[in-house]
Amino acid sequence: MGLFCGTTLRAGTALLMAGAFATQALAQDAITAIGKGEGQVNIVAWAGYIERGETDKNYDWVSGFEKETGCKVNVKTAATSDEMVALMNEGGFDLVTASGDASLRLVAGKRVQPINTDLIKSWSTVDDRLKDAPWFTVEGKHYGVPYQWGPNVLMYNTEVFKEAPKSWSVVFEETNLPDGKTNKGRVQAYDGPIHIADAANYLMAHKPELGIKDPYELNEDQYKAALDLLRAQRLLVGRYWHDAMIQVDDFKNEGVVASGSWPFQVNLLASEKQPVASTIPEEGATGWADTTMLATDAANPNCAYMWMEHSLSPKVQGDLASWFGSNPAVPAACKGNALLTDEGCKTNGFENFDKIKFWRTPVSKCASQNDQCVPYYRWVSDYIGVIGGR
């Protein structure tokens, strides 16, 4: 949530791998059948990913599961991938809906275990483009079940932009917008280190002399250029967003007119008849492919396996894709779902999979820059610096 480094992990984590695989292989071997549910399952998830009809009664894929299995679903919402990793490190959770910039970190940190796909009856229905994806498949072992995927879109106010913006420049460079007013203070940026990849993606198109081939594989010069662009963006940004609901409020009440966003916020605002729409500009977009991963020390593995199977049902996949504006991990969900409709997958970009540069954890050993890339721990510290004005 493309272009990937496969199983290589960031500097400092590689030595963990052998022990992680040995430990987790045993865990996989130990789970050969799903037993009686433990009564609950605890999940770390993105906002809008696990609904029980409280926001809209039409969107509920929890109540029926709880009634059928006796497993109560407890959800902790996380706003960023870094928060998800931190929560999984603390423990107490069975599952996490991890994006590609978190999943390999969780594997390397021994926080998740391989799953036994033989126990997931619907595994065969998973999209072949996702089934062995390198952001959750390591040495042939699957560390989870694909959940949903989609692009990071440019959300904009349709009263300011009568036509969709053609470029991400409206959030990266100071300019006058179509209403004649500056964009300064009226745009937002994502409050997460992975946003550096959005800057790199923009530079791929506008400064080809930098030689960026992959926004997650940046040498020192390319990385410096991305940070410089983000320092300039800081002068424009009214707020760095990480809470989807706060961004929704900012578009309604705080004069924000353009920002990188998720389809979830776009759909929510549109459902409230707000003047918003979204686009993928000419430079393309980053995106996310999320995986439901099982904690190494899951206290409720039987309920967790039941939930992973439930999550792949075409009804759940279609309802979620309709609610979030994402794409299902099960292609069968694209037809016959009343909420998604038969056009929903096309609308959400199901055919654009190859155009998205999916989130993943940057590592030092990278193919495109001769193993001389800036690793993720520096992205974290430097992005904090950018936001803080350094």
Side-chain angles (χ1 to χ4, degrees), residues 52 65 135 148 238 251 292 300 324 338 350:
R52 60 167 69 248
F65 171 81
W135 57 88
Q148 295 275 295
F251 265 76
T292 305
N300 307 292
F324 202 84
F350 191 79

Side-chain angles (χ1 to χ4, degrees), residues 48 51-59 245 264 268 272 323:
E51 293 288 314
R52 60 167 69 248
E54 293 170 335
T55 309
D56 184 326
K57 61 180 176 54
N58 292 311
Y59 294 92
M245 302 312 293
F264 173 65
L268 201 55
E272 297 178 5
W323 175 250

Side-chain angles (χ1 to χ4, degrees), residues 175-219:
T175 184
N176 284 336
L177 301 179
D179 61 2
K181 300 175 185 176
T182 179
N183 60 344
K184 197 168 185 178
R186 304 168 72 198
V187 301
Q188 292 186 338
Y190 185 56
D191 181 15
I194 205 67
H195 182 53
I196 294 173
D198 293 297
N201 182 62
Y202 182 73
L203 291 172
M204 283 177 72
H206 294 273
K207 289 197 173 181
E209 64 272 17
L210 287 169
I212 299 174
K213 299 181 176 66
D214 180 329
Y216 306 98
E217 297 186 2
L218 305 177
N219 65 28

Side-chain angles (χ1 to χ4, degrees), residues 62-293:
V62 172
S63 299
F65 171 81
E66 291 179 331
K67 185 175 180 181
E68 180 183 337
T69 65
C71 300
K72 184 177 187 299
V73 177
N74 304 308
V75 181
K76 169 69 175 177
T77 299
T80 67
S81 288
D82 290 348
E83 185 180 351
M84 285 189 171
V85 172
L87 287 167
M88 292 302 287
N89 285 339
E90 290 173 15
F93 298 98
D94 302 299
L95 297 169
V96 57
T97 60
S99 296
D101 59 330
S103 48
L104 288 182
R105 281 189 279 162
L106 291 169
V107 172
K110 305 182 187 179
R111 300 315 309 161
V112 293
Q113 61 175 288
I115 60 158
N116 184 346
T117 56
D118 291 341
L119 300 182
I120 309 290
K121 293 179 181 177
S122 298
W123 179 258
S124 62
T125 69
V126 171
D127 193 327
D128 287 335
R129 297 175 299 182
L130 295 170
K131 207 171 272 180
D132 299 311
W135 57 88
F136 77 101
T137 308
V138 181
E139 293 190 352
K141 297 185 189 303
H142 297 101
Y143 286 79
V145 171
Y147 195 46
Q148 295 275 295
W149 63 272
N152 292 314
V153 298
L154 175 60
M155 180 163 66
Y156 63 93
N157 183 303
T158 55
E159 293 177 347
V160 172
F161 297 91
K162 303 302 183 185
E163 297 180 359
K166 291 183 170 57
S167 171
W168 286 101
S169 62
V170 296
V171 296
F172 278 120
E173 300 184 23
E174 186 169 0
T175 184
N176 284 336
L177 301 179
D179 61 2
K181 300 175 185 176
T182 179
N183 60 344
K184 197 168 185 178
R186 304 168 72 198
V187 301
Q188 292 186 338
Y190 185 56
D191 181 15
I194 205 67
H195 182 53
I196 294 173
D198 293 297
N201 182 62
Y202 182 73
L203 291 172
M204 283 177 72
H206 294 273
K207 289 197 173 181
E209 64 272 17
L210 287 169
I212 299 174
K213 299 181 176 66
D214 180 329
Y216 306 98
E217 297 186 2
L218 305 177
N219 65 28
E220 293 290 348
D221 290 342
Q222 296 163 347
Y223 182 70
K224 180 181 181 298
L227 291 183
D228 287 344
L229 179 62
L230 293 170
R231 290 185 182 106
Q233 183 186 48
R234 181 185 175 274
L235 303 177
L236 309 176
V237 167
R239 188 203 302 273
Y240 288 90
W241 75 273
H242 62 260
D243 185 311
M245 302 312 293
I246 290 178
Q247 186 181 57
V248 165
D249 185 68
D250 287 344
F251 265 76
K252 288 195 292 189
N253 301 314
E254 300 299 330
V256 177
V257 299
S259 177
S261 188
W262 300 327
F264 173 65
Q265 290 96 297
V266 181
N267 284 1
L268 201 55
L269 285 162
S271 73
E272 297 178 5
K273 304 292 190 284
Q274 294 294 317
V276 299
S278 68
T279 186
I280 295 179
E282 59 192 10
E283 300 91 352
T286 60
W288 32 269
D290 297 344
T291 307
T292 305
M293 307 184 87

